[in-house]
Amino acid sequence: MSLKKATLLIIIILVIDQVSKFYIKTHFALHHRIEVFDWFHILFVENDGMAWGTKLSDFIAGISDRTAKLALTIFRIVAVIGIGYWLVTSVKKKGPHILIVAIALIFAGALGNIIDSVFYGIIFDDSYSQVATFLPETGYDTLFHGMVVDMLHFPIWKGVLPEWIPFYGGDYFTFFEPVFNVADMAISSGIGMLIVFNKKAFHQDEEEIAEAVYVEKE
């Protein structure tokens, strides 16, 4: 797969991701929900942390939420630079098609959420009990302190778990509880492809290692 095609894939995902987030941010108040089907809802939430809303400050004592948020955003930027380098290197080495697609998906998803984290705090005002305004006089926060917009919710099953289930028996449970976005889907799909098609994605690297070992023995 060429770098041009990989870039096109990234741009398509980014456009879909950002258009959906802009629409939600400028048409929904926070926690507003539309039930499309019983098992699929559009639910506007904002994520100030990592996956599932986890924050660095939950793990590191003494660090403030704002410092943790800034550190997380900077880490995401460094990570996406590394992923971008991995993508370009894989294309130059003519890596397997599935590997390049997977990396492109992960890169696009990571970049999509970085845009929220870096810029949304200054280009939108808050969504509490109101629909946000695009490019207000004052945003809801500063640069690098924006929150990621999530809206896709799939409560496929709701109910009380059987008592015999360890730890959670008798509790009310929803599957699938987390709310996510297009960028999250791209990241999950890319990682899933690398796990499921591990041998196809990395067979070329294994062949290069085997060849290097053979040459060294010679």
Side-chain angles (χ1 to χ4, degrees):
M1 186 177 190
S2 67
L3 186 59
K4 184 181 292 186
K5 290 182 179 179
T7 302
L8 179 60
L9 175 61
I10 291 168
I11 291 173
I12 291 172
I13 293 170
L14 275 178
V15 169
I16 296 172
D17 177 63
Q18 289 301 309
V19 167
S20 63
K21 289 173 177 176
F22 266 67
Y23 181 84
I24 292 296
K25 190 70 177 167
T26 56
H27 288 79
F28 284 57
L30 196 63
H31 300 137
H32 179 61
R33 178 194 301 268
I34 292 179
E35 184 174 323
V36 182
F37 302 106
D38 288 342
W39 49 269
F40 173 47
H41 300 173
I42 302 295
L43 171 61
F44 174 30
V45 300
E46 290 182 311
N47 183 357
D48 195 29
M50 301 180 287
W52 324 121
T54 306
K55 300 179 181 179
L56 285 177
S57 52
D58 296 335
F59 303 98
I60 304 175
I63 185 173
S64 69
D65 285 347
R66 289 190 64 78
T67 301
K69 173 63 179 174
L70 178 60
L72 177 60
T73 301
I74 293 173
F75 172 78
R76 282 172 168 165
I77 293 171
V78 173
V80 84
I81 291 172
I83 297 168
Y85 176 78
W86 184 20
L87 175 62
V88 173
T89 301
S90 298
V91 171
K92 287 182 177 179
K93 290 183 176 180
K94 300 187 184 301
H97 180 87
I98 196 164
L99 173 64
I100 296 172
V101 170
I103 299 173
L105 289 172
I106 296 170
F107 180 86
L111 187 57
N113 284 337
I114 284 174
I115 292 172
D116 298 29
S117 297
V118 174
F119 299 110
Y120 274 30
I122 61 173
I123 66 174
F124 291 111
D125 54 10
D126 71 73
S127 299
Y128 295 102
S129 302
Q130 67 173 13
V131 174
T133 301
F134 178 55
L135 296 180
E137 291 185 8
T138 304
Y140 68 79
D141 214 318
T142 55
L143 195 69
F144 292 99
H145 286 95
M147 292 183 284
V148 175
V149 174
D150 294 324
M151 78 293 290
L152 303 176
H153 188 213
F154 290 87
I156 297 172
W157 182 86
K158 295 179 181 180
V160 178
L161 295 174
E163 294 288 346
W164 54 264
I165 296 179
F167 306 111
Y168 299 102
D171 292 346
Y172 187 82
F173 180 77
T174 300
F175 179 85
F176 184 69
E177 183 62 29
V179 184
F180 51 96
N181 56 43
V182 174
D184 296 332
M185 291 177 63
I187 294 171
S188 300
S189 298
I191 293 174
M193 289 170 65
L194 293 180
I195 294 173
V196 175
F197 302 104
N198 181 273
K199 290 185 177 180
K200 288 184 178 181
F202 297 106
H203 77 87
Q204 195 169 32
D205 290 341
E206 293 174 357
E207 290 175 358
E208 289 177 358
I209 292 171
E211 184 178 343
V213 171
Y214 177 79
V215 171
E216 187 175 336
K217 285 183 179 179
E218 288 293 311

